[in-house]
Amino acid sequence: MSLSPAMEPSSLPHLVPGPARAPAEREALRRHYLMCRPDHFAVTYAINPWMDPAVSVDRQRAVEQWEALRAAYVGLGHEVSLIDPIEGLPDMVFAANGALVVGGRVYGARFTHAERAPEGPAYAEWFRRRGFAEVREPLHTNEGEGDFLTIGEIILAGTGFRTDVTAHQEAQEFLGRPVVTLRLIDPRFYHLDTALFPLGDDNVAYYPGAFSPGSRAVLERMFPDAVLACGTDAAVLGLNAVCDGRNVVVNLEASALIRQLERQGYRPVAVDLSELRKAGGGPKCCTLEIRA
């Protein structure tokens, strides 16, 4: 059963990662990412507070920013696979929402809004065609790594706006990993990955204001050395970042967060995804990690 924010803190220690490593020990691990080029990117509807169809979108600039993100991953030594974009699915660029992959098992997505519903089957089919034998079509609403973030052997799972808490239980049963439920309360941070990101396998960075009091208490107990972001950096989706253990690919506008990460021994890699942010996305939204 997934852990609820209301559970007593005394029930949590067996899930608590070990002490954060010293800066000298930071080690980058090679990752495998799935991405989708924003050939059809647009903002033609509004399904989150960031989206306004009245605001003009420069698709070519979005593609250029996305290409720079992809190049950053390749430059860091990571493997990047691509899924073909589908016309009529402007948000398919946000690959993180397409699935959760742990131990070679693929827990598929079931989107909240009809506009994105076809993306779930498209991502599931991509994995099947590449030989992933265990691909689960979910029974419950969830938006992949938008609301499921893996840290070590634990999965942190968001709810409140998109992913149903019953999906946390479904994912735990399928993946065999402990799932910790965290409730989001600020609609600007409608997915967990807009308010928190793992720093390797033993720590996280997050914006406390995005979470319910009970969920903040859980995070404080599990990650006493967490990097806490300010509201200003959260408001530019600074927490929609990707860390390989040492390097942190992060929105360049999150200047205070970048300085904090440097002090903690991480190496920020600043990117500009301002065009994609018009749809509520940042580096992590564009990046689905494939954990074999």
Side-chain angles (χ1 to χ4, degrees):
M1 181 179 69
S2 60
L3 294 178
S4 161
M7 292 185 72
E8 288 297 323
S10 60
S11 67
L12 289 171
H14 68 290
L15 294 178
V16 177
R21 288 173 291 190
E25 301 176 70
R26 306 272 183 236
E27 180 183 1
L29 299 178
R30 189 170 188 264
R31 310 295 177 114
H32 183 187
Y33 298 134
L34 177 60
M35 301 180 70
C36 182
R37 196 170 187 268
D39 290 341
H40 306 295
F41 178 67
V43 179
T44 58
Y45 50 77
I47 59 174
N48 68 55
W50 302 84
M51 303 177 85
D52 182 356
V55 174
S56 63
V57 170
D58 186 335
R59 182 178 297 164
Q60 183 56 40
R61 186 169 182 234
V63 169
E64 292 169 357
Q65 291 179 346
W66 179 91
E67 289 285 6
L69 174 63
R70 177 188 177 191
Y73 289 142
V74 173
L76 292 171
H78 303 306
E79 179 181 357
V80 177
S81 295
L82 300 177
I83 183 173
D84 292 333
I86 297 174
E87 189 173 0
L89 297 179
D91 285 340
M92 195 170 170
V93 59
F94 301 129
N97 305 150
L100 169 65
V101 186
V102 177
R105 292 182 171 186
V106 181
Y107 179 59
R110 187 182 184 92
F111 284 84
T112 302
H113 296 286
E115 291 89 345
R116 299 195 66 183
E119 295 179 40
Y123 276 94
E125 182 61 19
W126 186 92
F127 283 104
R128 289 194 187 96
R129 289 184 176 180
R130 280 149 187 81
F132 287 79
E134 296 183 84
V135 180
R136 171 68 61 90
E137 294 283 355
L139 297 177
H140 303 288
T141 301
N142 83 87
E143 300 198 349
E145 282 195 324
D147 274 323
F148 288 108
L149 297 175
T150 302
I151 176 164
E153 295 298 312
I154 301 166
I155 298 172
L156 303 178
T159 191
F161 297 104
R162 296 293 182 86
T163 296
D164 194 294
V165 71
T166 55
H168 299 182
Q169 299 162 0
E170 185 179 31
Q172 180 170 270
E173 290 302 312
F174 176 60
L175 299 170
R177 298 287 184 96
V179 173
V180 180
T181 291
L182 300 170
R183 182 166 295 278
L184 299 162
I185 59 172
D186 186 329
R188 294 176 301 167
F189 309 107
Y190 56 96
H191 279 149
L192 182 62
D193 73 353
T194 64
L196 179 151
F197 69 92
L199 288 166
D201 289 337
D202 55 21
N203 203 9
V204 299
Y206 68 96
Y207 171 53
F211 297 93
S212 69
S215 294
R216 286 199 302 272
V218 168
L219 288 169
E220 289 166 4
R221 178 169 288 277
M222 292 185 70
F223 306 105
D225 298 319
V227 173
L228 302 183
C230 66
T232 300
D233 286 347
V236 293
L237 291 180
L239 290 154
N240 194 246
V242 178
C243 179
D244 62 14
R246 179 172 183 263
N247 304 292
V248 182
V249 180
V250 57
N251 279 328
L252 61 84
E253 299 96 335
S255 55
L257 176 60
I258 287 172
R259 290 193 296 271
Q260 286 192 76
L261 292 169
E262 289 174 334
R263 288 195 295 269
Q264 294 292 325
Y266 296 97
R267 178 177 175 266
V269 178
V271 295
D272 179 9
L273 289 186
S274 54
E275 205 65 24
L276 291 168
R277 190 162 62 240
K278 293 176 181 178
K284 176 54 189 169
C285 285
C286 295
T287 311
L288 171 58
E289 183 167 351
I290 300 174
R291 299 173 183 84

